[in-house]
Amino acid sequence: MCGIIARVGEGNAVDRVITGLDNLEYRGYDSAGIALQNGTGVSVSKCSGEVEELKQNIRGDRLAGNIGIGHTRWSTHGPPTDENAHPHTNGDGTIAVVHNGIIENHAELRERLRSQGVEFESDTDTEVIPHLIDHYYATCDDPKVAFTRAISELEGSYAVVVMFEDYDAVYGARQGSPLVLGVGDDQYFLASDVPAFLEYTDRVVYFEDGDVVVARPHGVTVTTADGEPVNRPIESVDWDPEETGKGAYDHYMLKEIESQPSALSNSIRGRINDSNDGVDVDVFDPSTLADVREVQFIACGTSYHAAMYASTVLNRTGIRARAFRASEYQLSSDPVTTDTLVVAVTQSGETADTLGAMERAADEGAKLLTVTNVVGSSAARAADDTLFIHAGPEIGVAATKTFSSQAVTLSLLAQHLAEHIEDGTPVPNLPAVLDAVQTLPSDIEQIINTTRAAALANHYLNSEAYFFIGRELGHPVAQEAALKFKEITYEHAEGFASGELKHGPLALVTPRTPVFAIFTGLHDEKTLKNAKEAQTRGADIVAVAPAGHPAVSETDAHLPIPDTHPMWAGLLANVQLQLLSYHAADALGRSIDKPRNLAKSVTVE
């Protein structure tokens, strides 16, 4: 959830740590801080608010040091105050710590340390860590021994990076929260995520739970907590550093909406055979799928809506499939057996609820597949196999291009499964379906170039609520559209299966409740009937449909999409509705890339 960056090398670390914080602010922006060490002491500067406020605070301060750690926070324990901002230090300020995750036994540790005379200055669970390290450091005078003894007492999830005033090194460890190493020519980085240091290196080491890393200006060692050497390979990431910047755009979100043509092209490339009558997603030996009888998708938030989309596609092929919210799946009594394929869908590969659901599936003996955007992520390593969506880095908190890339990748996976699972039957006229998916990038380009979403957003700007409805494949798109709208506008928005409108939600419809109806080319007459039930109660109906669709003449406004196969029409509607949300939020002056109370990667349960 929070963002960690550390830099060790020659020259001043300040600018590079601040750059890392800028790049990680999508992980949290309640407060930020930095600590620097130059061999003679540790200097700390931190404050509530965004990284820009930290920059203002340190401007004029002559902070210097070739070793630095930084943190941008999403609050869990304690409100976003100066005192609760990271880094946290021990009593005399000689040890500084940044932490991502939750220390579940922090209350017990805090009471024990208080009984030893320790005074605490914050409400955070993190502050127990530097004091615990200090306790062991006083007895052994060895920073690594003190660090490993301290983390052995922590329960919960964490990525921790520590700096001592009198050692030219940073010490890091992970357990259930991400931590990666960036390997530069004359410097090293430890961070929560690759974008933190992508300007400086594309060479990355992904750590496993239990790894302990010591990074010095001229080398890195990785061991277990017991000191056994560990070899983790250096990998190259294929993300362009420019992808993590806004360029000429005002917001990352708009950039990422408009980058969907290239993101989808990358998701589709190489996954349709030369004869255009089958797919090859290159996961699992087909023989291992022969005994699969059910597919369960587990995901959270936007990824859950993509999973809903995929389960609908898969059910069409005759294979029993269902999407579960990962947070509920861990507690569910639904059967999971060795003939179940569990597909974990997570953009970051670090979503705590999804990782917990994966543990349940693995314990039950299910086959486990991860669909993710991040190579080397925890979910990718925990699964039997992994399918990457290849969407490139997404910085905006509100997911856009990764939803469409997930939905397309999962739908192609569904066709692959239908070819190799005994009960499966490929969808009718598969070549036409595959032709249409390959035109999605150009179709989205057309939407971007011709959209009237900004004008429509302004027209309905002062509405009481916003409803989105759709049937079958239009239903998850309606839910995703509502989620996007509420995430960044802070306005009341709901997504429904269109047939459910009359079973309760219609009571909320007023003349100030526009209803956005998604027409995919299947069951459209029923969707229109449901929409008109709201229209007779005074609501405006906006048809999201191709030009010339029968619904256009019977509704109050129109967001056009190119004509395409019903399998993909909802994804084109989704782009128009993403743009609607963006322009509404922009008109309202909302913080689009950093919406209140939210963070990009939810690494705590």
Side-chain angles (χ1 to χ4, degrees):
M1 191 73 78
C2 306
I4 289 172
I5 177 67
R7 185 267 183 184
V8 177
E10 299 299 327
N12 199 350
V14 176
D15 289 344
R16 294 181 185 190
V17 173
I18 291 294
T19 296
L21 291 178
D22 277 330
N23 293 345
L24 288 173
E25 200 166 19
Y26 62 91
R27 297 182 65 92
Y29 32 86
D30 290 342
S31 60
I34 184 173
L36 293 162
Q37 186 258 88
N38 58 13
T40 61
V42 172
S43 300
V44 176
S45 180
K46 60 182 185 175
C47 63
S48 61
E50 300 182 1
V51 173
E52 189 57 40
E53 294 177 60
L54 176 67
K55 292 179 188 177
Q56 296 294 333
N57 284 358
I58 66 176
R59 190 167 287 142
D61 293 345
R62 296 186 177 178
L63 293 175
N66 67 328
I67 298 175
I69 62 176
H71 189 272
T72 182
R73 181 172 183 248
W74 187 85
S75 304
T76 52
H77 290 84
T81 63
D82 291 355
E83 293 79 13
N84 288 335
H86 297 213
H88 289 287
T89 62
N90 62 332
D92 60 6
T94 58
I95 300 170
V97 171
V98 290
H99 161 237
N100 176 26
I102 290 180
I103 307 304
E104 294 175 355
N105 61 334
H106 73 97
E108 171 192 329
L109 293 172
R110 183 180 286 253
E111 286 307 308
R112 193 180 89 199
L113 289 163
R114 274 185 174 146
S115 70
Q116 297 169 0
V118 171
E119 295 182 4
F120 287 86
E121 298 181 355
S122 79
D123 304 313
T124 69
D125 55 337
T126 302
E127 197 183 354
V128 302
I129 302 174
H131 292 295
L132 200 57
I133 294 171
D134 189 34
H135 168 75
Y136 287 114
Y137 192 39
T139 65
C140 69
D141 201 32
D142 184 319
K144 185 180 178 185
V145 171
F147 177 56
T148 55
R149 285 181 181 174
I151 62 172
S152 71
E153 293 204 43
L154 304 181
E155 297 175 6
S157 65
Y158 56 80
V160 179
V161 175
V162 179
M163 183 171 66
F164 294 76
E165 74 165 4
D166 47 0
Y167 283 86
D168 63 342
V170 291
Y171 301 79
R174 65 156 286 170
Q175 183 66 46
S177 289
L179 189 67
V180 298
L181 174 74
V183 180
D185 293 335
D186 58 357
Q187 60 190 330
Y188 298 95
F189 299 89
L190 287 174
S192 300
D193 206 351
V194 173
F197 50 73
L198 199 54
E199 287 103 318
Y200 306 111
T201 182
D202 62 357
R203 292 184 294 160
V204 179
V205 175
Y206 298 98
F207 296 122
E208 303 278 354
D209 283 352
D211 285 355
V212 176
V213 56
V214 181
R216 297 183 174 85
H218 303 293
V220 173
T221 58
V222 186
T223 66
T224 66
D226 296 328
E228 294 296 320
V230 173
N231 182 31
R232 301 289 180 223
I234 297 175
E235 303 180 32
S236 295
V237 294
D238 59 1
W239 290 351
D240 185 334
E242 291 187 7
E243 290 185 87
T244 62
K246 282 190 291 191
Y249 289 89
D250 291 333
H251 301 98
Y252 284 109
M253 184 180 181
L254 184 59
K255 177 187 175 184
E256 288 159 1
I257 290 171
E258 296 194 359
S259 71
Q260 285 177 104
S262 60
L264 276 177
S265 294
N266 291 336
S267 297
I268 296 165
R269 185 177 296 115
R271 289 177 170 165
I272 297 173
N273 65 23
D274 293 338
S275 56
N276 207 51
D277 60 1
V279 301
D280 182 8
V281 293
D282 195 28
V283 292
F284 288 116
D285 184 318
S287 64
T288 66
L289 298 173
D291 60 349
V292 171
R293 293 294 174 265
E294 180 181 15
V295 179
Q296 297 178 351
F297 296 91
I298 51 176
C300 300
T302 287
S303 295
Y304 172 71
H305 298 149
M308 288 177 62
Y309 200 98
S311 66
T312 302
V313 172
L314 200 52
N315 280 319
R316 283 182 176 184
T317 73
I319 298 170
R320 187 168 68 249
R322 183 178 171 191
F324 293 83
R325 289 181 172 85
S327 56
E328 294 296 313
Y329 186 84
Q330 300 176 60
L331 312 173
S332 171
S333 60
D334 287 84
V336 185
T337 65
T338 55
D339 61 3
T340 305
L341 172 62
V342 175
V343 181
V345 188
T346 161
Q347 186 280 137
S348 67
E350 303 294 348
T351 308
D353 287 325
T354 305
L355 292 172
M358 292 175 71
E359 287 183 17
R360 182 208 168 190
D363 289 344
E364 299 288 349
K367 294 180 178 65
L368 193 53
L369 172 67
T370 291
V371 177
T372 186
N373 194 36
V374 181
V375 175
S377 60
S378 297
R381 294 197 302 270
D384 299 313
D385 211 339
T386 304
L387 182 60
F388 294 104
I389 66 172
H390 300 306
E394 185 176 65
I395 306 302
V397 168
T400 52
K401 67 178 182 177
T402 53
F403 172 75
S404 54
S405 291
Q406 284 175 331
V408 165
T409 302
L410 288 165
S411 297
L412 294 177
L413 171 67
Q415 304 309 318
H416 174 78
L417 296 176
E419 293 173 15
H420 297 293
I421 293 177
E422 184 177 327
D423 295 334
T425 303
V427 298
N429 200 11
L430 183 58
V433 173
L434 299 179
D435 277 337
V437 75
Q438 292 174 89
T439 67
L440 277 181
S442 60
D443 289 340
I444 292 174
E445 195 77 54
Q446 179 183 333
I447 290 172
I448 291 167
N449 292 335
T450 62
T451 184
R452 299 195 294 270
L456 205 60
N458 279 288
H459 180 73
Y460 291 113
L461 198 60
N462 295 312
S463 299
E464 290 178 344
Y466 302 80
F467 285 180
F468 301 84
I469 63 172
R471 279 184 178 268
E472 205 189 30
L473 286 172
H475 176 211
V477 173
Q479 289 202 310
E480 172 61 16
L483 175 64
K484 216 55 50 198
F485 203 91
K486 69 182 74 174
E487 279 181 321
I488 63 170
T489 69
Y490 315 152
E491 299 296 312
H492 178 211
E494 299 292 343
F496 305 105
S498 60
E500 289 301 300
L501 195 60
K502 60 184 175 292
H503 294 290
L506 202 57
L508 299 176
V509 168
T510 74
R512 295 182 59 202
T513 311
V515 177
F516 296 83
I518 298 161
F519 295 93
T520 64
L522 287 176
H523 316 297
D524 285 354
E525 67 288 347
K526 292 185 177 181
T527 299
L528 180 58
K529 180 176 181 292
N530 300 138
K532 291 183 76 65
E533 289 166 348
Q535 192 179 46
T536 61
R537 274 75 178 177
D540 272 12
I541 306 301
V542 181
V544 190
H549 190 284
V552 174
S553 62
E554 299 192 49
T555 50
D556 302 284
H558 179 213
L559 275 175
I561 62 173
D563 199 5
T564 189
H565 192 282
M567 180 81 80
W568 312 116
L571 300 184
L572 298 180
N574 175 65
V575 176
Q576 282 283 28
L577 296 172
Q578 287 174 348
L579 289 163
L580 177 85
S581 298
Y582 171 81
H583 289 295
D586 194 35
L588 291 166
R590 306 302 192 213
S591 179
I592 291 174
D593 287 332
K594 294 177 277 189
R596 67 187 181 199
N597 304 332
L598 302 179
K600 183 68 177 174
S601 180
V602 185
T603 58
V604 294
E605 293 183 341

